[in-house]
Amino acid sequence: MATTVRRTVLTLPAGPLGPENPLPALRPLDETHVVDERDRAALPRDMARQIGFQPLSTVLPARILDGFGRERTPTALDAIVIENDRLRATVLPGLGGRIHSLHHKPTGRELLYRNPVLQPADFALNGAWFSGGIEWNIGATGHTTLSCAPLHAALVPAPDGGEMVRLWEWERLRDLPFQVDLWLPEDSAFLHVGVRIRNPHEHTAPVYWWSNIAVPEGERTRVLAPADEAWHFGYERTLTRVPVPVSGSVDRTYPLRGEFPADYFYEVPDGARRWIASLDEDGHGLVQTSTDLLRGRKLFLWGSGAGGRRWQEWLTEPGTVGYAEIQAGLARTQLEHVPLEPGAEFSWLESYGPLSADPLTVHGEDWAAARAETEQRLAEALPRADVEAAYAAWRPFADTEPGESLATGSGWGALEVRRGKYELPGTPFADATLGEQQQPWLELLDQGAFPEPHPVVPPGPSLVSPHWRDMLETAPAEPLTEYHLGIAQWHAGDRAQAVRSWERGLVLAPSRWPLLRCLAVAAEEGRQRDRAADLYGEAFDDLCADRRDEDEDWTAAATALGREAVEALLAAGRPAAARSVWAALPPAVRQRGRFRLLEARLLIAEDDRAAARAVFDEGFEVEDLREGAQILDEVWAGLTDEPLPDRYNFRMRPER
C-alpha cells in the first residue's frame, strides 16, 4: 500500500491534566539532574563547558502544571496515523507530538512501550508529563515543558512524492522555533524523522534536544550501542565514567539488573555510526539511528529495586509490562546545552524501525561481538549511506509551506513572530492562532500599554525575554504592569529591582495578593522566613476576599497559594497560623493527596504525631510527587523508625 496519513481518535483511560498553576514560577528549579560544581573539574573540558553554559534558573515564562489527578476516565485524544504496508505510527499532536505507537505490521509487534493509560506525573520541567512512546525534548535539561501541550501539525509534501506530517512550535524557555517532520517512505520499514531548530535572534542560544524512546523491559532485554564506556549519572548528582557493559560486577546493559534508577550516557567514538537498539531474548526489537549531528546515546533504567518498581506502577498501572528508555541527543549527556549561533540552525535526520539479530550473539558474553552483530544487522536493514541520502532528500523540503492543517498549537509563536518580524519558511505562526493569553501582550506591543483587567481576575502568564522586559519598563507604571515587570526582572537576575517594582505595584493594586506572593518568594529566597510568613499570610487573606470557589482559575490560585502559605508558615514555626490557612482552603482541596501530606506535616508541628500517623495509615497518593523527591521518606522518618511502607516508597537512590 502507498503511505497514507489520516486523522483518528484514540481513547485511553486518562487522568485529568487540570488547570495551569497561576502563580509565576519564580523559584529555582528543583531539578535532580545537575552535577555539583566541585565535580566538574574532573570532566572533559568541552563537557564541563557545555554543562555550565546558560543553565536555567526557573522555567519562566512557562507555567507550572501541577493540578493533574489520578482518577482516570476514558478520554478521546486526537491522533494522526502514518501508515504503509510495513509500519504504522500513531502520533498525538495535542500532547507534545508524542509518537504513541510504532507497530510493525508483518510481525504484529509493537516496537515501543505503548502505555495503556495516560497518567500525568510530575516529571516535566514544568510538571505534567506522561510515560511511553517517543517524545521530543527541547529546551533545557529534563522533560520539555511541551510534554502535555498541543503542537501545530499539517501535511507537507514528502521527498518521495507522498505526504509527510510536520509538527512545529515555539519553544518558550529558549525562545526558539523547531519542527519535526515525520516521513514514512512507501516501501520502508523505517520511519524517518527530520528535525530542525532555528535561532532567529541576534544572540547565541543554548540548545537542548533529546529524543526519548520508551521500550519494553524484560529479564532478557538488552540495550546495545556502539560504545565501550559510558557516563553514569545516578541520583547522587555525580557523573562518572564507567565501562560498558559490566560495571560494579553487573552487566548494566540489561535494565532490570540494576537496583536503582540511573542514566548511562554512552561514549560513542568520533566517526562511529550513531545508533542504539533494544532487543529482547529472541533478538527482536527497535533500533534508532541518525545522521552524525545527533551524537549522544543514552539508556535510562528504573532498575529492579522497590522504588523503581513503584514508579513503574505509578506511571502505568499494576500488572503491565515495565519500560526503559533509550535516547538520542545533541550532546554526550543531558546535562549539557549546545551553543547555536545567531541566524543559524541545527538539523538532522533520525530513523526508527524493527531490528532482528542473532540472539546467541546479542546475549553472549562478548560485548564486541554483540555490538558488531547488531550493527551489521542494522547495516543490512538500513545502510548508513541510506540515512545520509534520506537526510539530503528531506532537507530541501524543510522550508516547504504546510498544506492541510491537522492540529493547532499555541499562539505564543505568532506573538513572537509578530514582535520580531521573523521569516521562518516552513513553520508559519499565523495571527489566527493568537488567543486570550496573548491578547494583553499584543496590546502592549501595538499600543505601548499593558491593559488592566476588569473585573479583577488572577493575572495571566508573564513574558520575560529582554524585548518584553524593555516594553514593560517603558509602559505606564500601572499595578499589573509592575507585577509583570518585576517577574521579568527577577528572571533576568535583577532581584532588588524586581522587589522595587512589586512594591510600587502594591500602592494602587485593586488586588494585592499576586504582588504580595511575589514579595513572599523573594523573602524566602533571601532566607527571611518571618517576613515571608507575614507576606504569605497577608496574600492568602487578600485572595480569600476576592476568590470565587465556583471558578476554576480562582480555585487553582487558592490551592497553589494556600499550599505555599502553609509551608512558609510551618518553616517559620507558626503552626497556628498555618492551621488557619489550612482551614480556609476548599474542602475538596484539603482531600487531595498533596494536602493530606501537608496535613500530616502540620499535625507533627502541632505535636500530634498519632493523628499524623493516622493520615499515613489511612492512605493517600501525592498526585504531583516530583521525580527524585524524598518528602515522603522525610515526613515518615519524623513519625517512626519503622520501614517506609511500599506504597510510599519512591526512592531513586540508596539510603544514606
Side-chain angles (χ1 to χ4, degrees):
M1 62 180 289
T3 300
T4 61
V5 178
R6 58 185 170 86
R7 281 182 282 190
T8 189
V9 174
L10 178 68
T11 300
L12 289 177
L17 277 175
E20 294 179 334
N21 184 328
L23 307 185
L26 300 176
R27 289 188 175 81
L29 294 173
D30 59 349
E31 181 55 54
T32 57
H33 298 90
V34 296
V35 176
D36 289 338
E37 187 76 32
R38 63 180 180 274
D39 294 329
R40 292 186 194 172
L43 300 176
R45 185 174 299 175
D46 63 329
M47 183 185 292
R49 184 173 58 251
Q50 291 187 161
I51 287 175
F53 180 49
Q54 294 189 33
L56 287 183
S57 57
T58 75
V59 296
L60 289 168
R63 284 183 140 184
I64 301 297
L65 296 173
D66 58 3
F68 49 84
R70 295 187 57 81
E71 293 184 7
R72 296 192 287 260
T73 58
T75 303
L77 306 171
D78 289 334
I80 301 169
V81 175
I82 311 166
E83 183 173 16
N84 64 11
D85 61 354
R86 304 178 73 180
L87 209 60
R88 181 170 62 245
T90 304
V91 184
L92 302 177
L95 292 164
R98 183 82 57 102
I99 297 181
H100 172 71
S101 168
L102 196 60
H103 179 79
H104 186 230
K105 296 167 73 173
T107 61
R109 287 192 289 114
E110 173 59 49
L111 301 180
L112 305 174
Y113 170 72
R114 183 177 57 194
N115 199 333
V117 302
L118 196 163
Q119 178 54 62
D122 194 0
F123 277 63
L125 285 164
N126 64 331
W129 171 87
F130 64 102
S131 64
I134 305 172
E135 60 175 313
W136 318 112
N137 287 303
I138 181 173
T141 299
H143 293 282
T144 176
T145 60
L146 297 169
S147 292
C148 293
L151 303 190
H152 301 284
L155 293 176
V156 291
D160 61 354
E163 292 179 320
M164 62 182 177
V165 173
R166 175 163 300 157
L167 306 166
W168 74 98
E169 244 305 351
W170 191 277
E171 199 287 311
R172 301 177 65 214
L173 297 184
R174 303 301 194 181
D175 262 340
L176 299 176
F178 73 98
Q179 69 190 77
V180 177
D181 288 356
L182 307 174
W183 169 34
L184 180 59
E186 182 175 333
D187 59 349
S188 178
F190 282 81
L191 176 70
H192 295 319
V193 181
V195 181
R196 178 167 63 166
I197 304 170
R198 288 184 274 194
N199 179 8
H201 306 296
E202 296 178 354
H203 60 266
T204 299
V207 173
Y208 171 92
W209 181 279
W210 282 80
S211 301
N212 185 353
I213 308 135
V215 291
E217 66 178 7
E219 292 291 343
R220 292 277 292 166
T221 295
R222 192 176 206 185
V223 171
L224 301 103
D228 291 315
E229 292 183 308
W231 292 93
H232 167 257
F233 183 84
Y235 285 78
E236 299 87 357
R237 295 189 172 187
T238 57
L239 192 63
T240 55
R241 194 191 295 259
V242 298
V244 175
V246 177
S247 173
S249 75
V250 176
D251 188 332
R252 306 291 177 175
T253 61
Y254 290 90
L256 283 173
R257 294 188 183 177
E259 183 178 1
F260 290 96
D263 298 328
Y264 291 91
F265 300 102
Y266 294 110
E267 188 69 65
V268 179
D270 290 341
R273 185 175 186 181
R274 272 58 168 148
W275 61 270
I276 188 167
S278 174
L279 303 179
D280 65 17
E281 61 183 353
D282 297 318
H284 303 310
L286 172 86
V287 65
Q288 186 270 2
T289 187
S290 71
T291 49
D292 288 354
L293 184 67
L294 202 68
R295 65 174 296 188
R297 292 300 184 274
K298 170 194 164 182
L299 163 65
F300 167 76
L301 55 89
W302 282 107
S304 60
R309 305 330 294 170
R310 183 71 179 102
W311 271 119
Q312 292 266 28
E313 292 179 353
W314 185 258
L315 297 172
T316 59
E317 59 182 7
T320 57
V321 64
Y323 74 95
E325 293 171 358
I326 57 176
Q327 304 188 22
L330 281 173
R332 278 184 288 185
T333 74
Q334 288 179 325
L335 310 177
E336 303 168 66
H337 300 93
V338 182
L340 180 59
E341 298 303 316
E345 64 181 51
F346 289 142
S347 66
W348 65 90
L349 187 110
E350 307 178 41
S351 299
Y352 297 81
L355 192 71
S356 293
D358 174 43
L360 295 179
T361 306
V362 165
H363 295 289
E365 294 184 3
D366 188 334
W367 172 244
R371 280 174 38 199
E373 163 66 12
T374 307
E375 188 154 359
Q376 177 59 35
R377 297 299 184 185
L378 172 59
E380 294 168 0
L382 185 66
R384 187 176 187 177
D386 286 4
V387 176
E388 297 292 343
Y391 172 70
W394 164 74
R395 193 62 188 81
F397 287 80
D399 282 348
T400 302
E401 290 304 304
E404 179 188 348
S405 175
L406 301 175
T408 303
S410 78
W412 295 114
L415 182 68
E416 293 298 336
V417 166
R418 186 158 173 173
R419 182 201 58 75
K421 298 180 173 58
Y422 302 124
E423 296 291 335
L424 299 170
T427 55
F429 294 95
D431 282 353
T433 62
L434 292 164
E436 181 180 353
Q437 290 189 336
Q438 291 82 44
Q439 286 305 318
W441 298 96
L442 190 60
E443 187 166 333
L444 175 64
L445 178 63
D446 292 343
Q447 306 297 328
F450 202 90
E452 290 291 314
H454 301 286
V456 171
V457 295
S462 297
L463 293 179
V464 296
S465 68
H467 313 282
W468 294 105
R469 187 173 72 246
D470 290 346
M471 280 185 269
L472 288 166
E473 286 176 346
T474 58
E478 300 296 335
L480 189 57
T481 305
E482 297 286 8
Y483 165 81
H484 287 296
L485 175 58
I487 292 168
Q489 291 165 333
W490 180 271
H491 177 263
D494 192 351
R495 297 193 167 185
Q497 189 59 54
V499 168
R500 284 192 286 271
S501 295
W502 292 327
E503 289 175 340
R504 283 196 305 268
L506 274 176
V507 176
L508 297 175
S511 183
R512 293 165 49 85
W513 66 265
L515 293 152
L516 290 167
R517 183 265 177 178
C518 290
L519 290 168
V521 173
E524 275 190 325
E525 292 300 305
R527 300 184 179 180
Q528 299 172 291
R529 287 187 173 182
D530 285 332
R531 174 167 168 74
D534 290 341
L535 288 164
Y536 265 121
E538 188 179 352
F540 188 75
D541 288 344
D542 188 74
L543 182 146
C544 288
D546 288 337
R547 88 185 198 205
R548 295 179 290 279
D549 286 345
E550 70 281 0
D551 184 282
E552 184 181 69
D553 292 339
W554 280 104
T555 298
T559 300
L561 184 58
R563 172 181 164 182
E564 290 186 5
V566 170
E567 290 175 339
L569 289 162
L570 288 177
R574 303 184 193 179
R579 175 62 69 181
S580 296
V581 173
W582 168 268
L585 289 167
V589 170
R590 295 200 298 267
Q591 292 304 309
R592 297 180 188 177
R594 168 63 64 179
F595 287 86
R596 295 287 286 153
L597 175 61
L598 193 56
E599 182 183 21
R601 294 170 59 191
L602 177 56
L603 289 164
I604 292 172
E606 294 171 334
D607 202 26
D608 193 347
R609 280 173 165 71
R613 174 62 186 264
V615 172
F616 275 86
D617 291 343
E618 184 179 337
F620 58 88
E621 292 183 323
V622 181
E623 297 89 347
D624 61 332
L625 186 67
R626 185 69 174 165
E627 175 189 14
Q630 300 184 84
I631 185 66
L632 288 167
D633 302 64
E634 293 166 358
V635 177
W636 179 259
L639 287 173
T640 177
D641 293 331
E642 296 175 23
L644 184 69
D646 289 344
R647 69 177 300 172
Y648 302 119
N649 184 357
F650 293 89
R651 291 181 182 133
M652 299 185 75
R653 63 189 183 195
E655 292 184 74
R656 293 178 178 176

